[in-house]
Amino acid sequence: MKNMIAIILAAGEGTRFKSETPKVLHEIFGKTIIERVAGIVSGFDKKIIVVGHKSELVKKSISDKNMIFVKQVKQLGSGDAVVQTEKILKNFTGDLVILSGDVPFLKKETVDKLLSVHKKEKAAASVLTCEMENPSHYGRIIRNTNGTVKAIVESKDAADVIKKIKEINSGIYVFSSKELFSALHKVKNNNSKSEYYLTDVISILNSENKKVIAYKTDDFKEIMGINNRSELAQAENYIREKILENLMISGVTIVNPGTVYIEETVEIEKDVTIMPSTIIKGKTKIKSGCVLGPFSYIDSSTVGKNVEIRASFVYGAEIADDVKIGPFSHIRKETKIGRYARIGNFSEIKKSVIGENTKVSHLSYIGDSQLGKNINIGAGTITCNYDGKKKHKTEIGDYTFVGSNTNLIAPIKIGKGALIAAGSTITHDVPDNKLAIARERQVIKKLKVKG
Ligand code: UD1
Ligand code: CA
């Protein structure tokens, strides 16, 4: 935004979080609170962030290279935090937007609206407010009879009659920079927290007959502050519901949405069904016709058409069309599964390629392997890929049949159309179209019969 300056206040310790991690570094759906706030002002000419508590950690977490960091050494209150920016704004006479580092869902359009009302009214300050049924810890807005704002009273300092006011301060403001700094120097800390409140600027401006107006939003979720872990969970739920809603509107069936968690980075085509208790994360892409879950976890994977993934973990994998996975399978990263393949119950696949129509249906471990097409891997087959020091590769050719309970000691190469007898421990390569059997021959011995 041209000639516009934004200040984000993020120096506070976030005591109510009771955390070693600064409040603003807690994540909501894979993104820190502060990164979300920084995103709101990404288009501003100049962006200043006031940091303090564990400032180096907060600094490191901000990806916007144009962000200017200002340190508030002692956390003496939100007013004192703004005072720290004065030295770099000495020559600035325009309007300043101030955001709270813990209010992450504010829409850019609302900031634009607040700015345009501020300019139209030629106000010294404009406050974004909202009506709330239960205003709890938020600052209350006291209006003059002409509708302008007289003061903001913090909940902790409010008399009962003021606590009844339902209009609250969002912590988002536009100020004329000159008026702001001159009033800030008059702020005192004679309140319940002994802090220099930014909100006290409002009554100071009012007493000097400077115009302070309020712009009301009716979307409380947009201005919710995240002060403790309960509010963090509410915020997460808010985004979660919005993501699911968008997906359902776009043609995805979600059964029992209350139990489903899908990150905003996930892309899902229409006519996919998400069953209960399913989590989908990262840059996952899912094509139409899939049924995912119940009880599945899919992260950073691509999933083709008509795939079924039931009660399984899949991450960093590429799954072709018409594959069936689960229940209780573990598909690990760098795995590629070909069309019509079947990875059945209790199978683990790691860093392997599974060819078209190949079946690993029961209780197997396939690691560092390259399997061709139309292979049948019998129940309990294990690729023994690790010798205690190094990982080794297993290769199996098309149309091979591996009998149940086979150990394949890698590095090993099994040819095409081979047959491995059940219960074998295969230590040498097997050529194409040959039978390998590597187990003790059964003997029948006479039993000493008692009695
Ligand atoms: C603040 C407002 C309250 C408003 C609410 C909206 C004040 C005094 N009160 O209350 O009227 O309803 O936000 O969410 O501003 N900060 C610093 N340095 C400090 C203290 C705070 O940078 O010394 C920062 C915090 O990191 C935070 C913001 O200022 O981002 C607000 O501080 P916080 O303690 O969360 O204030 P609230 O009690 O939520
Ligand atoms: Ca807050």
Side-chain angles (χ1 to χ4, degrees):
M1 209 173 280
K2 276 275 155 262
N3 302 318
M4 280 307 309
I5 299 183
I7 300 173
I8 300 172
L9 305 182
E13 188 180 338
T15 340
R16 288 164 277 182
F17 254 77
K18 300 191 171 53
S19 175
E20 288 298 312
T21 307
K23 163 168 77 175
V24 294
L25 293 190
H26 281 261
E27 288 188 359
I28 305 172
F29 263 75
K31 211 168 171 188
T32 62
I33 296 173
I34 197 65
E35 268 288 270
R36 289 182 182 274
V37 177
I40 302 165
V41 292
S42 57
F44 276 63
D45 272 349
K46 198 171 196 172
K47 295 152 267 184
I48 303 166
I49 181 165
V50 184
V51 290
H53 176 68
K54 299 202 175 170
S55 57
E56 286 311 310
L57 280 180
V58 179
K59 236 170 153 171
K60 255 205 317 219
S61 77
I62 305 271
S63 57
D64 188 337
K65 295 286 166 260
N66 297 318
M67 192 66 81
I68 300 165
F69 293 90
V70 169
K71 192 154 175 182
Q72 182 194 26
V73 179
K74 272 194 181 159
Q75 280 67 68
L76 301 177
S78 50
D80 179 71
V82 178
V83 168
Q84 311 309 310
T85 66
E86 192 175 13
K87 46 190 177 297
I88 58 170
L89 293 172
K90 265 201 314 270
N91 303 321
F92 182 68
T93 52
D95 292 327
L96 283 169
V97 172
I98 298 190
L99 307 189
S100 283
D102 62 353
V103 179
F105 302 138
L106 178 68
K107 295 191 201 98
K108 285 183 182 174
E109 304 89 80
T110 308
V111 177
D112 292 347
K113 260 280 174 47
L114 183 65
L115 263 165
S116 73
V117 175
H118 175 85
K119 286 198 190 316
K120 198 173 133 217
E121 296 284 334
K122 298 194 171 59
S126 303
V127 187
L128 181 64
T129 70
C130 184
E131 296 267 350
M132 270 177 85
E133 240 350 274
N134 174 19
S136 62
H137 58 269
Y138 289 92
R140 307 297 201 276
I141 301 289
I142 319 265
R143 299 259 194 171
N144 288 311
T145 42
N146 67 0
T148 57
V149 180
K150 186 175 180 189
I152 298 174
V153 179
E154 289 308 295
S155 184
K156 275 200 168 165
D157 303 305
D160 285 349
V161 48
I162 290 177
K163 276 197 179 130
K164 288 205 176 92
I165 295 174
K166 292 198 166 17
E167 189 180 9
I168 61 105
N169 169 29
S170 69
I172 315 294
Y173 322 82
V174 178
F175 285 101
S176 140
S177 128
K178 259 175 54 194
E179 304 291 3
L180 170 67
F181 288 110
S182 112
L184 267 176
H185 291 297
K186 297 168 192 157
V187 169
K188 304 256 176 344
N189 68 346
N190 50 352
N191 51 52
S192 63
K193 287 169 92 179
S194 303
E195 285 189 357
Y196 295 90
Y197 291 161
L198 173 58
T199 44
D200 281 355
V201 163
I202 303 302
S203 59
I204 292 169
L205 290 175
N206 193 74
S207 67
E208 292 171 351
N209 291 321
K210 307 274 163 59
K211 191 173 185 184
V212 182
I213 57 154
Y215 171 69
K216 222 190 265 181
T217 165
D218 51 13
D219 179 5
F220 162 66
K221 287 172 178 165
E222 180 185 5
I223 54 124
M224 71 192 287
I226 319 292
N227 297 290
N228 57 43
R229 297 188 204 226
S230 164
E231 286 171 346
L232 185 74
Q234 282 169 35
E236 180 142 298
N237 210 31
Y238 164 54
I239 301 205
R240 195 183 61 80
E241 282 174 355
K242 238 172 51 183
I243 294 170
L244 297 186
E245 162 113 16
N246 288 341
L247 285 169
M248 290 187 275
I249 299 294
S250 73
V252 175
T253 295
I254 300 178
V255 181
N256 198 351
T259 66
V260 171
Y261 177 107
I262 300 176
E263 287 183 351
E264 48 209 321
T265 42
V266 173
E267 288 174 36
I268 307 184
E269 289 186 358
K270 67 182 170 97
D271 285 326
V272 167
T273 300
I274 314 287
M275 300 297 279
S277 301
T278 291
I279 296 167
I280 312 178
K281 299 174 67 170
K283 288 199 162 30
T284 296
K285 285 189 181 169
I286 292 163
K287 293 227 160 111
S288 63
C290 292
V291 179
L292 309 176
F295 312 111
S296 288
Y297 177 100
I298 303 163
D299 188 1
S300 308
S301 298
T302 57
V303 180
K305 284 184 186 164
N306 308 318
V307 169
E308 272 178 32
I309 302 179
R310 290 183 296 149
S312 292
F313 268 68
V314 175
Y315 43 85
E318 237 177 81
I319 310 215
D321 298 349
D322 306 300
V323 168
K324 284 189 169 54
I325 293 173
F328 313 112
S329 280
H330 187 184
I331 314 294
R332 294 166 57 189
K333 56 183 182 192
E334 294 181 56
T335 289
K336 283 187 186 178
I337 300 185
R339 198 166 179 198
Y340 299 117
R342 165 99 182 84
I343 311 298
N345 40 185
F346 303 100
S347 290
E348 176 178 348
I349 315 285
K350 181 225 133 185
K351 207 175 174 182
S352 295
V353 176
I354 309 291
E356 215 174 287
N357 205 33
T358 284
K359 312 253 181 311
V360 187
S361 297
H362 327 267
L363 302 148
S364 288
Y365 171 64
I366 305 293
D368 305 298
S369 302
Q370 173 95 30
L371 271 56
K373 59 185 182 191
N374 295 296
I375 293 167
N376 189 77
I377 301 289
T381 295
I382 305 293
T383 55
C384 308
N385 60 332
Y386 187 47
D387 61 9
K389 286 193 184 116
K390 272 187 171 169
K391 300 278 166 66
H392 299 283
K393 287 207 150 79
T394 298
E395 273 180 52
I396 306 179
D398 303 344
Y399 295 96
T400 281
F401 184 98
V402 178
S404 294
N405 210 24
T406 292
N407 299 312
L408 300 165
I409 313 288
I412 193 114
K413 231 173 161 170
I414 315 289
K416 290 183 183 173
L419 175 60
I420 311 292
S424 292
T425 292
I426 301 294
T427 52
H428 295 93
D429 291 355
V430 177
D432 294 352
N433 305 312
K434 291 286 189 301
L435 163 71
I437 181 162
R439 65 183 185 220
E440 276 290 294
R441 187 176 284 275
Q442 180 175 326
V443 289
I444 306 282
K445 291 189 177 176
K446 217 173 166 182
L447 278 178
K448 239 190 204 165
V449 182
K450 281 184 192 155

